[in-house]
């Protein structure tokens, strides 16, 4: 386990966690909603291990987080209405459904060739993606079907797996998950209601 100051965390503080990801490992880390699980989104082996740890259905896609809009563009097409929403709501709890590049491990998008990406409003999560050098997975740090986790204590089951390194950044805000929107289509599609109200998204696009 690595303990960091969530308000002042740097890439240097997360060097061990970034190396763990580079070696194909899984990192449990805090975000602006709940704790998530990170692996290299371009590694087929690491993504397969993540599905195994979570007990997740292989037909269910996994979301990603990026350190910045520029990093998000390294694995997905962010343009048009999607770019407008990214510029308005990132960093923050808005995930955008985007066309995935071939760099992304196929299991991430479960054959759909799209991926949900966001830039989180949390220093640890941003620094971890920055240090990894690639957008990382942000699936919730729990077994599939169980409630999301907002404290390190809730990670007990996941943390017992030797493939998982825990970054303790204190309690996360919890609350609603990120809102997921597909702005590639007209009209835009609300995929999942969450922390950002749908009417705010529509106001941004219609403004």
């Amino acid at each position: 386990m690595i303990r960091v100051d969530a308000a002042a965390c740097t890439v240097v503080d997360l060097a061990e966690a970034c190396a763990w990801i580079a070696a194909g490992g899984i990192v449990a880390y805090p975000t602006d909603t709940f704790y998530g699980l990170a692996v290299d989104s371009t590694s087929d082996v690491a993504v397969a291990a993540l599905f195994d740890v979570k007990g997740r259905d292989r037909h269910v896609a996994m979301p990603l987080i990026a350190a910045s809009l520029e990093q998000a563009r390294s694995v997905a097409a962010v343009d048009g209405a999607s770019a407008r929403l990214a510029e308005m709501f990132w960093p923050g709890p808005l995930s955008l459904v985007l066309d995935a590049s071939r760099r992304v491990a196929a299991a991430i998008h479960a054959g759909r060739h799209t991926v949900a990406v966001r830039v989180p409003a949390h220093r640890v999560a941003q620094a971890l993606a920055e240090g990894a050098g690639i957008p990382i997975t942000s699936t919730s740090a729990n077994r599939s079907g169980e409630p999301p986790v907002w404290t390190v204590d809730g990670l007990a089951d996941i943390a017992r797996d030797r493939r998982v390194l825990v970054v303790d950044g204190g309690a996360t805000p919890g609350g609603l998950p990120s809102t997921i929107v597909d702005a590639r289509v007209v009209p835009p599609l609300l995929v999942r209601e969450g922390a950002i109200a749908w009417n705010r998204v529509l106001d941004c696009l219609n403004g």
Side-chain angles (χ1 to χ4, degrees):
M1 181 181 293
I2 301 171
R3 290 182 173 86
V4 297
D5 180 345
C9 182
T10 68
V11 173
V12 173
D13 297 327
L14 294 171
E16 183 179 350
C18 294
W20 194 268
I21 290 173
I26 302 167
V27 172
Y29 66 102
T31 76
D32 50 352
T33 54
F34 297 95
Y35 269 78
L37 293 174
V39 299
D40 179 348
S41 61
T42 67
S43 169
D44 292 327
V45 173
V47 172
L50 181 53
F51 272 94
D52 182 55
V53 166
K54 279 187 64 76
R56 190 179 179 95
D57 185 339
R58 300 302 174 102
H59 295 95
V60 179
M62 284 202 181
L64 304 180
I65 65 163
S68 63
L69 173 57
E70 291 71 27
Q71 192 184 69
R73 283 181 166 138
S74 72
V75 295
V78 192
D79 50 27
S82 298
R84 290 172 59 191
L85 291 176
E87 290 165 2
M88 176 70 180
F89 293 106
W90 288 357
L94 180 72
S95 295
L96 297 172
V97 176
L98 305 167
D99 292 323
S101 78
R102 294 182 179 180
R103 295 186 68 195
V104 177
I108 289 285
H109 54 69
R112 296 178 180 85
H113 303 289
T114 61
V115 63
V117 186
R118 72 185 182 97
V119 175
H122 194 285
R123 183 55 199 152
V124 177
Q126 283 188 22
L128 189 62
E130 181 182 350
I134 193 76
I136 53 179
T137 56
S138 64
T139 183
S140 56
N142 56 281
R143 306 288 185 187
S144 290
E146 296 180 357
V149 173
W150 59 280
T151 66
V152 166
D153 289 343
L155 295 170
D157 188 30
I158 289 286
R160 279 193 289 268
D161 194 299
R162 293 185 178 182
R163 292 169 289 186
V164 179
L165 174 68
V166 176
V167 174
D168 181 355
T172 65
L176 296 173
S178 66
T179 300
I180 303 178
V181 172
D182 187 349
R184 300 170 306 145
V185 295
V186 180
L189 176 66
L190 176 63
V191 178
R192 181 180 73 188
E193 294 186 14
I196 293 179
W198 179 229
N199 66 327
R200 289 187 61 202
V201 174
L202 294 177
D203 286 346
C204 174
L205 293 177
N206 295 330

